[in-house]
Every structure is written in structure tokens, then in C-alpha cells.
Amino acid sequence: MSTSSTRRLAAVMIADVAGYSRLMEHDEAGTHARLREIRAEVTDPAVRGQGGRIVRTVGDGILVEFPSAASALAAAVEIQRTMARRNLGLPADQRIDHRIGINLGDILVDEHDIAGTGVNVAARLEALAAPGGIAISGTVREQVREDIGVRFVDAGEQQVKNISRPILVFRVELDGPQSPWTRLRAARWQRPLTIAAGIIALVVAATLAYRQWQPEKPSQSLIILPFAYAAETPGGALLAASMTSQVTRAVSRVTGLTVIAPAVAAQLAGRRGDLRQIGDELRVRYALDGRVDRSGDLVRVTAHLVDTGSGGSLWSSDVEAPAAADGSAPLAVIGRLSETLRSAVIDAEMKRIAAGEQASSAYALALAASRELQDATELPQIRAARERFERALAIEPRHVPALTGYAHALAFEADRIEPGAPRDGLLAKADEVSLRAVTLQTDNAEAWGARANVLLFRRQIDAAVEAIQRALALNPYLITVQSFSGQINLAQGRGEEALAAFDRGIELNPTSTARGVLMHFRCRALLLLGRYAQAIESCERGMAFGTEWPDYMVLAAAYALHGDAQRAAQARGELLRLQPAFTIRWHGALAGGAGEAHTPFDRLLHDGLRMAAVPE
């Protein structure tokens, strides 16, 4: 940077290729040629189209200056969407995914280069982005007011290397406008609070209210219309019938979601334009209208969730997956649709509650408690959610969703306090409550998931395995159930099985607010498997969604085991800053091991922490 440098406010974008070293090692010449092609056909045209200036390129990365935050974001969105289309159908070892970070800030400029804090922040944001994703600073979010068809998900304030102040980070989701329910500042302890909150929100049982003149439509009531298909679609009739049947079956397994029988829905296929009338006739609040198409080896499904009262569209999804060999609906599509659909129904239900509908019912109290538990980062917040669940149960003692949430709240409260009689009492109560929930509804997958989680907290691993197997048999399409399955496998020392479960959870809904939690536990599984570099990457990606002391605990051990003493020391410093009382023995007692490592993972973790010079 020359002495004639000037300062100005500018939008800075930094992009690089995820896993670049791995790609080059696998096929150096081919990767280099494909990157040149992508620059010529994707990246450079998108930058030029928005008035950007490519300042420099380094290996797989580019540094770009834009005249505005909006133009930088528009270029980034175009790049990522184009690359997503190019990657369709490619095997993992041939995909090229970019990570993109964008910041608006003060930079130093000369004829050939730019530098300064504004550039450094963009670099840190790029490192926080997921492959195929975009991370932006709060200053960029403030400047982008127009609707460009993306969602902005608050990932909280992040403290990053060489930047003195925390950065407010937003993840850019490319699948549509932002819903308030997706905003999250994730907090993770040894078990995922955000996942527990998802359980509660997704299993609230239907409660009937009455108007003076006619009965209200039941909460969470849904009709899935037969999927449409183009006449020229090869095997379209079989594919559409399979999609309708399997999505209906998967969604019907969600406790509290009342789904109209397929035989009834089949008679209404010709009335897609009359959804409000269908809602009145069948007394259902929501309708799913979908279409399935096939192009070569890919199946594409488009679905819309409609409010039958207003006729308004509440949510839409566009999913692609490789076609099944037998012509039936791909399982990946079924799982993705069922998971995101139920989340969309809950979004709509929460808006009704916020507007005052059924505000004093057990149903509403359970939803409110789930929101509190989702956002809880401190013990008083967890206790407030627990007390709200207790109020719901005072109204309706056999309300299984409230019992399920109450069990989680008790367990998470126990995990926030020191070992001893009070902690043991909370876990005993959680055990009793979760047992009551599965006794009342033996076919409730969410309740069995809660039961498995509580038993895992109590270190009753064999019983936890039985409970999670029951939950998986009832509904394998639940992110929460897949996560608890992974954690139980982790406790057993079964790293590959744990990793597969966490990956299935991410695949079910890549935009879920639980993604950060799953990435954290995926890091633990990779650590157990000795894949330290991959564990570090997974930990750091998960930390983009929010950080707590367990993140730095695992990261310190991973860096130490990987042989990076400097970064291990940095992670150790953050761990002790966030949890000054932390010692290896303290963690062993907290994990139920009487001060000693209790599981194969804990033993490896403690070895790594000792290598990182964490206090014994």
C-alpha cells in the first residue's frame, strides 16, 4: 500500500473455494481448468454486472470492491445460485463450492490495492460462511432494504481473530424472504437447546377453539393435495403418486399435526384453485399444493403451503434430488419436505398466537415456552421457560407436548448447575416427566426423543438406545431425533454412526436454525474418528451460528491433537474467558464421570485438552 493511499467507505466481497487444497490434491489440472472456466462464466460476469472491481486474486480467492452493499450482495447471490445449478448431480469430490463474505466499511485505497479493517472483516466473514453460503456484516444488512428473494438469519455477534470488536453476522439463505422464526442467536451447551426448542414447537397438540357462530379450524390441521405433474414427465403418474403418499405418511407422523386422509384429498385434486372453499368444507387451516417434475436423473419438487382462511401463500419450497431407481419419490426429498413443512406450519401458528389467538391455553403456553427455551442462553431464561411449561400442565396435565418440553427444560436446567443433589433431583424429575409423556402417547416420536435425551443426561445409555430406536422407527424425518441418535452413538464411541446421524439431520433441512448445533456435534464425531482437520472445519462452521464455552473446549482439543499449538492456545484462552472455572476434572464431573472421563470421546477430549495446557 503506497503512501498516497486514500480512505473511503466501500463494500468489500471476498470469495474462495471450500476444500481447495483437497480438490487440487485430487485433480490438480482438472480443478485448475474448472476454476478458470468458473471465473470466465460465473464469477467475473456477476461482478461486472453489478459494477464491481476485482482488486486481486490469490489462488482460489478473489477480493472485490463494489460501489454499494446492495450490489455486492446481488453479485454474491448470483454467484452462489449459479454454482448451485452447476453442481447439481455432481459427486462430492467434483463439486466446487464458494464461501463468500461481504462487509461495508472504511478501507484504504491506492491505484492497485485495497486494505484496512473493512477488508479484514470481510475476510473473517468469508471464513464464517458455509460452503455455498454467504455471510455478511450488520452494516451490510442495514443497507440492503429491497427484497432480493433471500432471507437474512441473525447469527449473533462473533469475536474473530485480529478484530477488537465483535462483528454482528448475518447468514444469507437463498431460498426466499426471511421468517421471524428463523432468527436465532444460537447457544449450545453439552446438549442442543435450539433442538429441544424445535421439538416443543413441532409437537404441540391440536386444541379446538369455538367462535360464536361456527367451530374454528383445528390448530395445525392440513390437507396435502395430490402432487401434480406434467403429462410429458416420464413415469410422472407413479412419481406423483409416490410423492403424495410418502409425504403424507411422513407428515402424519408429526404429533399434533392433523392431516386429512389421502383418500379424501385425492377427490379434490381438480379443485386446486378453490383452496379457501376446501378449507371451509374440511375445517383445515392449511393446504399443501405441490408439483413434481423429472429431468434426466433429477427429480424436482415445488410445493406451496397456503392459508385456507386468507388464500395467502405462507411458504414455498423447491427441492431437487437424484431420482430413485424404481421411479418412486427420492427419500431425500420426502425428508426435506416433511421437515420444512412442519416448521412452516409452526411459523404460521406462532403468528396466530402472537395476534392473541388462544393466548391463555395450554397450546399457546407451550408454544411460548418453546420460544423462550430456543432463545435461552442463561439459567434464569431456562427456568422461565420451565415455569411456563408448568403453567401449561396446570391447565392440561396430560398435554404431551408440554410434558415433552418440560422434560427438556428440566434436563437443560440440570446441565447448567454444578453436580450434586439439586442437579440429581432435576434429572430425576425429567426422567419421571418423560416417562409420563411416552406412557400417554406410545406412538409419539418427539416424546420418545425427549425420553432418549433425558436418559442420555442420566448416563443410562442402554435405555437411551432403546428409546431413540423407538423414536426413529416412528419418525426418522425429525432433525431432533437424528441429533439425539448421533449423540447417543457418540456416547457409545461409535463415531461413524454418530457422524452419519448428524449429516442426516443437516440434510433434512439445511436452512434449519439447528444447523449450528449439528455442526458442533459433527465436530465431536470427527474428533473421535481422528479426522482432526475436518473436525476443526466443522467446529468453526458451527460457531458462525453462535458460540459458547463448549465450542472452544472442543476446538482447543482439536487444534492440539492436530498439532497446531498456537491456535490451541487461542481457543484455550477463549474457553477460560467464557468459563473461568473450567478444569478437566470439573468437566469430567459435569459430564457424570465423577471427575474422570466417562466415554471414549471424553477420554480423547481430555487428552487433547491436556495437550492444549488446559488446567487439570
Side-chain angles (χ1 to χ4, degrees):
M1 188 66 62
S2 70
T3 57
S4 61
S5 299
T6 61
R7 288 186 178 273
R8 69 167 175 248
L9 185 69
V12 178
M13 181 183 88
I14 294 180
D16 78 354
V17 175
Y20 174 72
S21 298
R22 171 183 53 79
L23 290 167
M24 291 294 285
E25 183 179 2
H26 177 72
D27 180 8
E28 184 175 280
T31 298
H32 181 68
R34 285 159 57 213
L35 286 176
R36 291 184 61 183
E37 180 181 290
I38 288 168
R39 281 287 308 273
E41 297 179 3
V42 181
T43 310
D44 290 16
V47 168
R48 288 195 300 267
Q50 295 296 331
R53 175 176 75 99
I54 297 178
V55 178
R56 64 174 182 263
T57 62
V58 180
D60 61 317
I62 60 172
L63 170 64
V64 188
E65 179 190 358
F66 286 90
S68 71
S71 59
L73 181 58
V77 168
E78 181 181 342
I79 290 168
Q80 297 296 43
R81 284 179 169 161
T82 303
M83 289 307 302
R85 291 193 294 270
R86 291 174 71 107
N87 283 330
L88 283 175
L90 291 179
D93 61 353
Q94 294 181 23
R95 291 175 59 95
I96 291 182
D97 289 305
H98 291 85
R99 290 193 177 98
I100 298 179
I102 304 174
N103 181 46
L104 178 67
D106 190 43
I107 62 172
L108 288 169
V109 185
D110 67 13
E111 183 180 357
H112 302 294
D113 204 359
I114 62 176
T117 301
V119 177
N120 294 338
V121 169
R124 300 297 175 249
L125 289 164
E126 178 272 319
L128 292 174
I134 305 167
I136 64 175
S137 64
T139 55
V140 173
R141 177 67 185 96
E142 289 173 1
Q143 295 298 313
V144 179
R145 298 300 181 188
E146 65 271 27
D147 182 3
I148 61 171
V150 299
R151 295 185 299 164
F152 299 101
V153 181
D154 187 346
E157 290 187 339
Q158 305 294 318
Q159 186 68 59
V160 297
K161 185 173 65 174
N162 296 333
I163 304 295
S164 60
R165 295 181 179 179
I167 306 170
L168 177 58
V169 179
F170 288 83
R171 292 182 295 108
V172 180
E173 301 289 0
L174 305 179
D175 59 352
Q178 181 182 17
S179 160
W181 184 243
T182 66
R183 293 178 60 84
L184 170 71
R185 299 188 67 174
R188 290 186 303 282
W189 277 61
Q190 290 179 281
R191 305 290 175 260
L193 293 179
T194 49
I195 284 187
I199 285 181
I200 313 310
L202 301 177
V203 302
V204 178
T207 304
L208 291 177
Y210 288 88
R211 297 177 181 170
Q212 289 183 338
W213 55 277
Q214 69 173 359
E216 174 63 284
K217 297 171 184 177
S219 305
Q220 301 190 59
S221 50
L222 171 73
I223 181 171
I224 298 177
L225 294 173
F227 278 75
Y229 63 96
E232 63 273 16
T233 301
L238 172 62
L239 183 60
S242 173
M243 182 66 63
T244 304
S245 172
Q246 294 196 58
V247 170
T248 301
R249 185 180 304 115
V251 175
S252 297
R253 294 173 179 176
V254 177
T255 305
L257 189 56
T258 303
V259 182
I260 297 298
V264 175
Q267 300 174 28
L268 303 171
R271 296 176 56 189
R272 295 181 185 278
D274 197 16
L275 295 181
R276 296 182 70 174
Q277 183 65 31
I278 289 173
D280 288 339
E281 290 175 7
L282 299 180
R283 312 308 309 155
V284 292
R285 282 186 176 176
Y286 308 106
L288 181 73
D289 189 7
R291 178 184 180 86
V292 59
D293 296 291
R294 179 166 179 169
S295 176
D297 293 332
L298 285 178
V299 169
R300 181 186 183 91
V301 177
T302 304
H304 298 273
L305 181 68
V306 177
D307 184 327
T308 62
S310 66
S313 178
L314 299 171
W315 162 86
S316 64
S317 180
D318 199 345
V319 183
E320 287 185 334
D326 61 0
S328 63
L331 291 177
V333 171
I334 297 163
R336 182 84 59 84
L337 278 179
S338 63
E339 173 63 36
T340 54
L341 171 61
R342 66 189 192 133
S343 297
V345 170
I346 291 301
D347 286 349
E349 288 292 285
M350 292 189 69
K351 290 177 183 178
R352 290 178 183 272
I353 298 299
E357 187 173 305
Q358 299 177 302
S360 61
S361 66
Y363 173 81
L365 287 166
L367 276 178
S370 73
R371 172 177 288 176
E372 283 186 300
L373 196 59
Q374 173 178 338
D375 294 333
T377 58
E378 303 294 339
L379 185 57
Q381 296 170 313
I382 298 172
R383 285 174 173 160
R386 185 251 296 167
E387 290 167 2
R388 199 181 290 261
F389 282 124
E390 290 172 342
R391 288 167 54 197
L393 291 169
I395 297 170
E396 196 173 331
R398 297 169 63 86
H399 193 358
V400 172
L403 286 168
T404 301
Y406 187 32
H408 281 294
L410 289 164
F412 291 132
E413 184 176 344
D415 200 40
R416 287 275 180 165
I417 65 177
E418 298 292 332
R423 184 177 191 271
D424 294 342
L426 286 169
L427 289 176
K429 180 68 173 178
D431 193 339
E432 173 194 333
V433 171
S434 67
L435 181 59
R436 193 189 321 161
V438 297
T439 301
L440 285 169
Q441 288 187 1
T442 58
D443 61 348
N444 186 321
E446 291 89 345
W448 279 108
R451 176 76 177 147
N453 190 39
V454 170
L455 291 168
L456 180 60
F457 269 103
R458 303 198 78 189
R459 294 295 174 182
Q460 297 177 17
I461 304 301
D462 290 343
V465 169
E466 293 177 5
I468 203 62
Q469 287 176 346
R470 186 73 173 267
L472 286 167
L474 288 165
N475 193 349
Y477 301 119
L478 294 172
I479 288 179
T480 52
V481 169
Q482 291 293 347
S483 177
F484 294 141
S485 173
Q487 292 175 56
I488 291 167
N489 276 302
L490 199 57
Q492 293 176 293
R494 299 159 60 92
E496 292 289 358
E497 292 86 346
L499 181 62
F502 298 133
D503 284 344
R504 283 193 296 270
I506 293 171
E507 175 64 24
L508 282 171
N509 188 353
T511 64
S512 168
T513 54
R515 183 181 177 92
V517 175
L518 289 163
M519 293 303 299
H520 171 82
F521 280 97
R522 187 175 185 273
C523 170
R524 292 183 178 221
L526 288 164
L527 193 69
L528 181 62
L529 291 169
R531 292 152 62 177
Y532 304 134
Q534 290 176 292
I536 291 167
E537 181 184 19
S538 189
C539 272
E540 291 180 337
R541 287 169 58 190
M543 290 167 74
F545 297 81
T547 54
E548 291 285 337
W549 66 260
D551 297 296
Y552 288 106
M553 173 187 71
V554 179
L555 193 59
Y559 273 130
L561 290 165
H562 190 51
D564 191 335
Q566 181 179 358
R567 286 190 171 88
Q570 291 172 348
R572 179 193 67 216
E574 288 300 308
L575 167 63
L576 297 177
R577 181 181 66 83
L578 293 171
Q579 183 54 262
F582 189 95
T583 65
I584 294 173
R585 187 167 185 82
W586 176 85
H587 175 262
L590 192 68
E596 301 298 330
H598 187 73
T599 67
F601 171 78
D602 286 339
R603 287 192 286 273
L604 177 64
L605 175 71
H606 288 186
D607 287 344
L609 292 174
R610 290 185 180 97
M611 292 173 64
V614 172
E616 187 70 38

